Amino acid sequence: MQQICESIMLICFGISWPISVYKSFTSKSTKGKSVVFIFAIIFGYIAGITGKIVGDQINYVLVLYCLNLLFVIVDLVLYFINKKNENKLEAQNKQ
Protein backbone atom coordinates (compact mmCIF):
# COMPACT_ATOMS: atom_id res chain seq x y z
CA MET A 1 0.00 0.00 0.00
CA GLN A 2 2.89 2.36 0.81
CA GLN A 3 4.28 2.03 -2.73
CA ILE A 4 0.86 2.67 -4.26
CA CYS A 5 0.39 5.88 -2.23
CA GLU A 6 3.93 7.01 -3.05
CA SER A 7 3.29 6.27 -6.72
CA ILE A 8 0.09 8.31 -6.71
CA MET A 9 1.95 11.24 -5.13
CA LEU A 10 4.75 11.01 -7.71
CA ILE A 11 2.28 10.74 -10.60
CA CYS A 12 0.37 13.80 -9.37
CA PHE A 13 3.60 15.79 -9.03
CA GLY A 14 4.82 14.30 -12.28
CA ILE A 15 1.86 15.64 -14.24
CA SER A 16 2.90 19.19 -13.42
CA TRP A 17 6.49 18.94 -14.69
CA PRO A 18 5.78 18.31 -18.39
CA ILE A 19 3.29 21.19 -18.23
CA SER A 20 5.95 23.42 -16.65
CA VAL A 21 8.50 22.39 -19.30
CA TYR A 22 5.99 23.11 -22.06
CA LYS A 23 5.23 26.56 -20.62
CA SER A 24 8.93 27.35 -20.25
CA PHE A 25 9.61 26.23 -23.81
CA THR A 26 6.72 28.07 -25.45
CA SER A 27 6.80 31.27 -23.39
CA LYS A 28 10.59 31.61 -23.55
CA SER A 29 10.26 33.44 -20.23
CA THR A 30 11.43 32.98 -16.66
CA LYS A 31 8.50 34.94 -15.26
CA GLY A 32 6.87 33.04 -12.45
CA LYS A 33 9.86 30.70 -12.10
CA SER A 34 12.16 30.43 -9.12
CA VAL A 35 15.55 28.85 -9.68
CA VAL A 36 15.86 28.27 -5.91
CA PHE A 37 12.56 26.36 -5.96
CA ILE A 38 13.68 24.28 -8.94
CA PHE A 39 16.95 23.38 -7.19
CA ALA A 40 15.02 22.48 -4.02
CA ILE A 41 12.79 20.12 -6.01
CA ILE A 42 15.84 18.54 -7.68
CA PHE A 43 17.46 18.06 -4.28
CA GLY A 44 14.25 16.47 -2.99
CA TYR A 45 14.02 14.01 -5.87
CA ILE A 46 17.71 13.10 -5.48
CA ALA A 47 17.08 12.47 -1.77
CA GLY A 48 14.08 10.29 -2.64
CA ILE A 49 16.09 8.31 -5.19
CA THR A 50 18.96 7.91 -2.73
CA GLY A 51 16.55 6.75 -0.05
CA LYS A 52 15.12 4.11 -2.38
CA ILE A 53 18.57 2.84 -3.32
CA VAL A 54 19.98 2.86 0.23
CA GLY A 55 16.81 1.24 1.55
CA ASP A 56 17.11 -1.46 -1.11
CA GLN A 57 13.63 -0.59 -2.41
CA ILE A 58 14.48 -0.62 -6.09
CA ASN A 59 11.13 -0.96 -7.84
CA TYR A 60 8.82 0.84 -10.26
CA VAL A 61 8.47 3.79 -7.87
CA LEU A 62 12.16 4.56 -8.43
CA VAL A 63 11.39 4.96 -12.13
CA LEU A 64 8.78 7.62 -11.29
CA TYR A 65 11.33 9.51 -9.16
CA CYS A 66 13.84 9.41 -12.02
CA LEU A 67 11.28 10.48 -14.61
CA ASN A 68 10.15 13.43 -12.48
CA LEU A 69 13.77 14.40 -11.83
CA LEU A 70 14.46 14.36 -15.57
CA PHE A 71 11.58 16.75 -16.29
CA VAL A 72 12.67 19.12 -13.51
CA ILE A 73 16.23 19.14 -14.87
CA VAL A 74 14.88 19.96 -18.34
CA ASP A 75 12.87 22.80 -16.79
CA LEU A 76 16.06 24.05 -15.08
CA VAL A 77 17.98 24.01 -18.36
CA LEU A 78 15.16 25.93 -20.04
CA TYR A 79 15.21 28.43 -17.18
CA PHE A 80 18.88 29.24 -17.82
CA ILE A 81 18.39 29.37 -21.61
CA ASN A 82 15.40 31.70 -21.22
CA LYS A 83 17.23 33.84 -18.63
CA LYS A 84 20.20 34.21 -20.98
CA ASN A 85 17.90 35.28 -23.82
CA GLU A 86 16.05 37.72 -21.56
CA ASN A 87 19.37 39.27 -20.47
CA LYS A 88 20.46 39.63 -24.11
CA LEU A 89 17.18 41.30 -25.03
CA GLU A 90 17.40 43.62 -22.04
CA ALA A 91 20.96 44.61 -22.97
CA GLN A 92 19.88 45.29 -26.57
CA ASN A 93 16.99 47.46 -25.37
CA LYS A 94 19.36 49.54 -23.23
CA GLN A 95 21.48 50.45 -26.24
Side-chain angles (χ1 to χ4, degrees):
M1 183 65 170
Q2 175 188 354
Q3 289 178 353
I4 292 171
C5 290
E6 190 174 13
S7 296
I8 291 169
M9 182 266 308
L10 287 168
I11 289 168
C12 290
F13 283 154
I15 290 169
S16 66
W17 298 123
I19 294 167
S20 182
V21 167
Y22 177 78
K23 285 184 175 184
S24 292
F25 182 77
T26 57
S27 72
K28 306 210 182 306
S29 172
T30 60
K31 288 184 176 62
K33 296 280 183 176
S34 166
V35 73
V36 173
F37 177 76
I38 295 171
F39 274 116
I41 296 298
I42 289 172
F43 180 76
Y45 279 126
I46 290 171
I49 290 167
T50 303
K52 287 291 188 189
I53 293 169
V54 169
D56 199 28
Q57 295 179 342
I58 299 173
N59 53 35
Y60 68 93
V61 177
L62 182 61
V63 173
L64 294 174
Y65 274 104
C66 292
L67 187 60
N68 286 352
L69 177 61
L70 176 66
F71 275 110
V72 178
I73 290 171
V74 169
D75 205 26
L76 178 67
V77 169
L78 286 172
Y79 175 89
F80 284 115
I81 290 170
N82 291 341
K83 188 68 172 168
K84 181 181 173 184
N85 291 336
E86 287 173 348
N87 290 342
K88 270 187 197 178
L89 187 61
E90 187 176 308
Q92 287 174 351
N93 288 339
K94 285 184 179 181
Q95 293 177 353

